[in-house]
Amino acid sequence: HGKQALVPDSGNSLTSVAGIWQSVWLEPVPALSIQGVDFDADPTTGVVSITPQLSGAPAGTTFRAIVRDDGVEVARAESEDGAAFDVTVPAPKMWSPDEPTLYDVTLELEQGGALLDTADSYFGMRSLALGSDAGATKVLLNGAPFVGVGVLSQGYWPEGVYTPPTDSAVKADLTLVKNLDFNTIRVHEKVESERFYYWADRLGLLVWQDMPTGDNAAEPSRT
C-alpha cells in the first residue's frame, strides 16, 4: 500500500492517503482473451519462456508470440490450449543502461482460425547477480561489475501526491535523471505505476526497488 502508516510518528512513517493512484482504464475484451503474460529470458541462450494468462477456457486456442528487434521480426513461436512455450531469439542483445535494448512482442490469440485478441508487450535480456571481482563481492550486470550511480525517487507529485499528472511527466522526470548521467533510480517505499518501469526500461535506468512500508505501528518501516 505504499508510503503509509496507520499511526504516523516522528520516525520513518508517513501520513496515510486514500484514493486511486495506479493506472486505471476500461477496455472491452471478448470472454476468451489475453489477460497477461510472463516472460523468463535466459540471456546466455536467447531462450525466452512464455507463460500466457488467458480468461475463459483456452481449449482449441492458439497463442502466438512474434518478437521484433527495432521493427524487424527475429523470432516467433506458439502453443495450443494456453500452454507455456519457448521462443529463441538469435544472437541476443543484452540490456544495460548504456544500451537499453528491448524486444517488442506482438501476442495473438486465435480459435478456429479467427483472431480473438491481440496485445503488445516487450522484454529485455539481462542478468543480475552477486559475484567476486578483485577479491570483493560486487553487483554483476551481464557478468561484468556494475556501479549503480543513482537518485532516490520519493515518487511524490505536486499535482497528485502519488499520482503523476501525465505519462509524459513520468518520461520527462526519468529523462532528466538519465541526462544528468545517472544509471540507477531507487524507488523509495512504494510500488510505482507500470508506466514508470516502462520508461525506466526504455531509457536505460536500473531500478532498485524498496519494499513498500508495512502498517505495523509497533515497528519502524524498513527498506
Side-chain angles (χ1 to χ4, degrees):
H1 56 218
K3 298 170 180 283
Q4 303 200 48
L6 296 180
V7 184
D9 57 28
S10 59
N12 221 15
S13 299
L14 299 110
T15 302
S16 298
V17 300
I20 297 172
W21 60 275
Q22 288 279 8
S23 299
V24 178
W25 70 93
L26 293 175
E27 178 184 359
V29 296
L32 182 55
S33 60
I34 301 170
Q35 295 295 298
V37 64
D38 291 328
F39 297 115
D40 186 6
D42 184 345
T44 61
T45 63
V47 175
V48 183
S49 297
I50 300 175
T51 304
Q53 299 169 13
L54 307 178
S55 68
T61 60
T62 299
F63 185 87
R64 182 179 302 109
I66 304 169
V67 182
R68 295 182 175 88
D69 177 14
D70 198 22
V72 178
E73 182 178 330
V74 294
R76 69 166 58 200
E78 60 188 42
S79 71
E80 305 299 323
D81 301 336
F85 62 103
D86 294 342
V87 61
T88 301
V89 176
K93 301 175 183 177
M94 301 295 102
W95 182 99
S96 72
D98 293 331
E99 295 184 49
T101 300
L102 295 171
Y103 292 91
D104 294 311
V105 187
T106 299
L107 305 170
E108 297 178 345
L109 180 64
E110 291 183 357
Q111 188 176 50
L115 184 63
L116 296 182
D117 197 11
T118 183
D120 294 320
S121 190
Y122 70 92
F123 63 81
M125 296 277 193
R126 74 179 183 194
S127 65
L128 279 168
L130 293 178
S132 179
D133 178 70
T137 299
K138 298 181 180 179
V139 174
L140 304 181
L141 175 62
N142 301 327
F146 174 77
V147 177
V149 180
V151 298
L152 176 66
S153 173
Q154 291 283 358
Y156 287 118
W157 296 87
E159 304 90 339
V161 192
Y162 285 166
T163 307
T166 62
D167 183 61
S168 60
V170 178
K171 180 182 179 182
D173 216 38
L174 296 183
T175 298
L176 175 61
V177 174
K178 186 71 176 180
N179 288 344
L180 290 172
D181 284 336
F182 294 105
N183 60 17
T184 304
I185 188 164
R186 174 185 162 192
V187 177
H188 187 255
E189 293 188 5
K190 66 178 287 197
V191 176
E192 282 289 358
S193 68
E194 292 184 1
R195 298 301 296 178
F196 177 97
Y197 301 104
Y198 170 85
W199 284 118
D201 289 342
R202 290 286 177 192
L203 296 170
L205 286 168
L206 190 71
V207 177
W208 289 350
Q209 176 67 58
D210 279 9
M211 292 293 291
T213 303
D215 61 0
N216 187 346
E219 294 289 337
S221 58
R222 304 294 185 184
T223 57

